[in-house]
Amino acid sequence: MIKNFTKIFALILTLIFSANYYAQCTGCTVTNPVLSGNYTFASGSTVCFTQDATLGDVTFQNNSKICVAPGVTVTIQNNVTTTTGNNITFEIGGTLHFNQTTNIDANLTINIQSNGLLKAGSTGNNNFSFNGDSNNTLNNFGKMQVNALKFQDVDATNIVDNYGTLTIGSNINIEGNTTFRNWQTINIGQSFNMNSTTNYINCGTINTGTGFNV
């Protein structure tokens, strides 16, 4: 009994530490750069938003990072430009809202903390695609709302850990060498589609409209 309690307590501490670790956004090089209009996230920059902002077209250069503070909403209305081979990071404590279908060609790391939300489309009705050709990571402790969630590069290594809620309107489609771990809740309108190099580990709840394609 004591051993089981110790294991459970250690797991809780690990989850708390992980949530706080992934939520950190330090070393801001730019804070609240624009409240509207187009914007380029410069190479090597950490751009922090502590106020609501609505951006038009955005470009993420290599090793750039966007950090959205808790309680803040950043809306990207138009085109998102990224470059294959580059690396970018999204740190989401508040809401990062893409109005359009979003394809990220760079290698992408997304960390969504417990009160964070990543959304594509006004109601989560647009697709979001990881197209990076090397390493892509999604750590979700909050919420993600998209129509289709796609990992599209066959040569990429993808790691997904869901400790929150993924709400997927249609499908999850996976290519590449992928480890997909669900610790909480995934709701999928249609199906979970994975390739032969996907490892799926479920320690939570997954609901699908039509099932799995393995």
Side-chain angles (χ1 to χ4, degrees):
M1 182 69 178
I2 293 175
K3 288 183 178 179
N4 289 337
F5 176 78
T6 301
K7 290 178 181 178
I8 293 171
F9 183 69
L11 177 60
I12 291 171
L13 286 179
T14 299
L15 293 177
I16 292 172
F17 173 79
S18 298
N20 289 332
Y21 173 79
Y22 289 125
Q24 296 302 313
C25 193
T26 58
C28 301
T29 57
V30 181
T31 302
N32 299 322
V34 292
L35 297 180
S36 63
N38 301 336
Y39 188 74
T40 296
F41 293 83
S43 179
S45 66
T46 298
V47 180
C48 300
F49 289 88
T50 61
Q51 302 175 36
D52 292 352
T54 299
L55 309 179
D57 296 332
V58 300
T59 299
F60 289 96
Q61 296 182 348
N62 192 30
N63 294 319
S64 62
K65 178 190 292 186
I66 180 174
C67 178
V68 182
V72 173
T73 297
V74 174
T75 300
I76 298 175
Q77 292 185 310
N78 299 323
N79 299 317
V80 177
T81 300
T82 56
T83 301
T84 301
N86 285 357
N87 302 290
I88 61 177
T89 302
F90 297 166
E91 297 281 356
I92 307 171
T95 298
L96 181 57
H97 178 199
F98 294 90
N99 269 355
Q100 308 294 330
T101 291
T102 304
N103 299 304
I104 304 296
D105 294 324
N107 301 310
L108 175 60
T109 296
I110 298 179
N111 298 316
I112 306 172
Q113 67 186 80
S114 58
N115 293 317
L117 168 63
L118 187 150
K119 182 168 66 171
S122 59
T123 59
N125 56 326
N126 285 342
N127 299 341
F128 190 97
S129 300
F130 290 75
N131 297 335
D133 61 358
S134 183
N135 296 293
N136 302 291
T137 303
L138 171 60
N139 297 299
N140 177 45
F141 290 86
K143 296 178 181 179
M144 186 174 189
Q145 299 173 357
V146 301
N147 181 52
L149 176 61
K150 302 179 181 181
F151 296 84
Q152 299 199 120
D153 195 288
V154 297
D155 296 319
T157 297
N158 308 305
I159 297 176
V160 179
D161 279 292
N162 177 50
Y163 296 92
T165 302
L166 298 180
T167 302
I168 312 300
S170 60
N171 301 308
I172 294 178
N173 298 324
I174 298 177
E175 297 290 345
N177 300 300
T178 303
T179 299
F180 198 113
R181 294 179 287 247
N182 176 43
W183 307 94
Q184 195 63 36
T185 304
I186 304 176
N187 297 310
I188 306 173
Q190 296 180 23
S191 61
F192 189 110
N193 307 304
M194 68 187 91
N195 63 359
S196 61
T197 54
T198 297
N199 293 316
Y200 175 66
I201 300 166
N202 186 48
C203 294
T205 299
I206 182 167
N207 302 301
T208 67
T210 58
F212 287 77
N213 291 320
V214 180

